[in-house]
Amino acid sequence: MMKLGVVGSGNNSIFHLKALRDSGFKPEILLYAGNHKRAEERSKEFGIAQKTTNIQFFKESNIDAILINSSSNALWEIYKAMWSLDIPILIEKPITKNITKLDEVPNHIQDKTIVGLNRRLYSAVDNFCLNVNKSRTGSFHFLVPENSWNGSWGEAEFLENLYDNLIHTIDLVLYIFKLNFKSISHLNTNLRKDFSGEVFINFSSENFNGVYQVTFGSPANYELRFFSKGETAILKPLENFEHITHLTLREPTQDFPIRSYVPTKSENWQISDLDKEYKPGYYQQAKALASLVQGVRISNNLARINDVRNALGIIGMIHDAVLS
């Protein structure tokens, strides 16, 4: 069994620890900030022998890898403090809200770091990517609803959402269509004083063109559509994949007296067993961390430091456009 050090005892750590335990890790020590009751619960549930609030004591323990799952505001300082151990790290996003800090990360630490951007690892996204890669060219529209349960919020909440939540879908669109901030042809914001409204980003590359549309305060569901010759691939929500290859004519009926065309799915897609058993993407991240411990090269579909840098660059553009 590989020995794991754990930082943070929040609810999300349960999902990480289940996947890591089933991937050959034994949690040995837990570093927590102050919620002793929650740390005690996590230790009992996963058999963690040692608990501490002392980061130096944690660093002196004999571990093979680290899970950093602390609050987003604490991620950077903890991550930086662990570099001297020179062991593989799985860290939650966004790591930092200051993109320039990522330039401080040594190359050998970048090579040993996996970032918890798990949307790109959904089984539905795998199928979607197969369709995109097969088509090679096309266009897309990505609708991203944020704060859809609330009509308004303050500046602090808005900024927290940008860095903690929006980073997932920005990373996803960059990953799927192989884009970066240089692919942006236009960015437009239409936000009111209560930070409700929309942000539109137009992407353009040699192979793909599309719109990334964020709505703030409007009830909706995540929806990504990719249009190519003779077919449409859909993620709605992001955990569900549909593939449309033709339309079926529906003649008027007494209940629906309008002639219409109904998209026909090419197949009944099924969510993977991994996505049912674990929080989607977490098992793949855990197995990749194990591979790093064993000195085995990991797949390119795992998020790394450069992926965070690309996503933060675009979040920074939105930040500046909204608050300028």
Side-chain angles (χ1 to χ4, degrees), residues 227-286:
F227 308 97
S228 59
K229 185 177 180 179
E231 54 190 336
T232 300
I234 305 169
L235 294 174
K236 184 183 180 182
L238 300 181
E239 297 83 357
N240 183 66
F241 172 73
E242 295 180 9
H243 183 222
I244 308 298
T245 54
H246 62 283
L247 299 175
T248 300
L249 175 62
R250 184 171 63 185
E251 296 291 352
T253 65
Q254 187 172 359
D255 294 331
F256 193 82
I258 302 172
R259 192 183 195 204
S260 58
Y261 293 90
V262 181
T264 304
K265 301 177 185 178
S266 63
E267 59 186 60
N268 289 320
W269 175 81
Q270 297 283 329
I271 190 170
S272 74
D273 291 336
L274 274 182
D275 282 6
K276 294 176 184 177
E277 186 173 356
Y278 303 94
K279 189 169 182 177
Y282 279 40
Y283 184 77
Q284 295 94 316
Q285 291 173 350

Side-chain angles (χ1 to χ4, degrees), residues 85-264:
L85 298 181
D86 196 21
I87 59 178
I89 297 172
L90 170 57
I91 182 170
E92 268 299 336
K93 46 71 190 172
I95 302 182
T96 177
K97 297 175 184 177
N98 184 346
I99 190 172
T100 61
K101 287 185 176 181
L102 295 179
D103 296 334
E104 300 175 24
V105 186
N107 289 337
H108 70 283
I109 298 298
Q110 293 191 42
D111 291 341
K112 295 180 180 180
T113 300
I114 299 168
V115 186
L117 291 165
N118 62 310
R119 304 293 193 276
R120 52 166 61 201
L121 301 173
Y122 288 4
S123 57
V125 171
D126 284 342
N127 278 58
F128 191 92
C129 286
L130 287 174
N131 193 267
V132 171
N133 294 336
K134 180 188 67 175
S135 300
R136 297 186 180 179
T137 61
S139 61
F140 64 87
H141 180 260
F142 198 174
L143 175 62
V144 179
E146 293 290 346
N147 199 32
S148 57
W149 57 91
N150 184 15
S152 64
W153 51 4
E155 180 177 321
E157 295 171 295
F158 173 78
L159 292 177
E160 181 180 0
N161 183 275
L162 276 187
Y163 289 94
D164 287 358
N165 292 341
L166 205 64
I167 191 171
H168 272 299
T169 51
I170 289 177
D171 171 71
L172 188 59
V173 74
L174 299 181
Y175 166 71
I176 291 175
F177 298 106
K178 300 177 176 60
L179 304 169
N180 55 48
F181 72 93
K182 294 180 182 179
S183 308
I184 294 177
S185 58
H186 184 70
L187 187 153
N188 183 51
T189 62
N190 179 30
L191 292 182
R192 293 169 278 276
K193 291 182 179 180
D194 62 358
F195 292 98
S196 64
E198 302 81 37
V199 172
F200 298 88
I201 300 178
N202 292 86
F203 286 97
S204 181
S205 70
E206 183 178 349
N207 297 317
F208 304 109
N209 297 286
V211 176
Y212 175 90
Q213 176 185 355
V214 192
T215 62
F216 297 96
S218 299
N221 209 336
Y222 291 90
E223 181 177 350
L224 174 56
R225 290 178 178 263
F226 173 64
F227 308 97
S228 59
K229 185 177 180 179
E231 54 190 336
T232 300
I234 305 169
L235 294 174
K236 184 183 180 182
L238 300 181
E239 297 83 357
N240 183 66
F241 172 73
E242 295 180 9
H243 183 222
I244 308 298
T245 54
H246 62 283
L247 299 175
T248 300
L249 175 62
R250 184 171 63 185
E251 296 291 352
T253 65
Q254 187 172 359
D255 294 331
F256 193 82
I258 302 172
R259 192 183 195 204
S260 58
Y261 293 90
V262 181
T264 304

Side-chain angles (χ1 to χ4, degrees), residues 294-314:
Q294 296 158 359
V296 178
R297 190 179 184 87
I298 66 173
S299 169
N300 291 331
N301 63 354
L302 277 298
R304 313 302 290 274
I305 293 295
N306 198 50
D307 298 307
V308 177
R309 182 182 286 108
N310 286 335
L312 285 180
I314 293 176

Side-chain angles (χ1 to χ4, degrees), residues 67-86:
L67 166 66
I68 303 178
N69 189 59
S70 58
S71 64
S72 60
N73 290 331
L75 286 171
W76 174 254
E77 293 302 327
I78 294 171
Y79 179 52
K80 191 173 181 179
M82 299 301 167
W83 294 350
S84 60
L85 298 181
D86 196 21

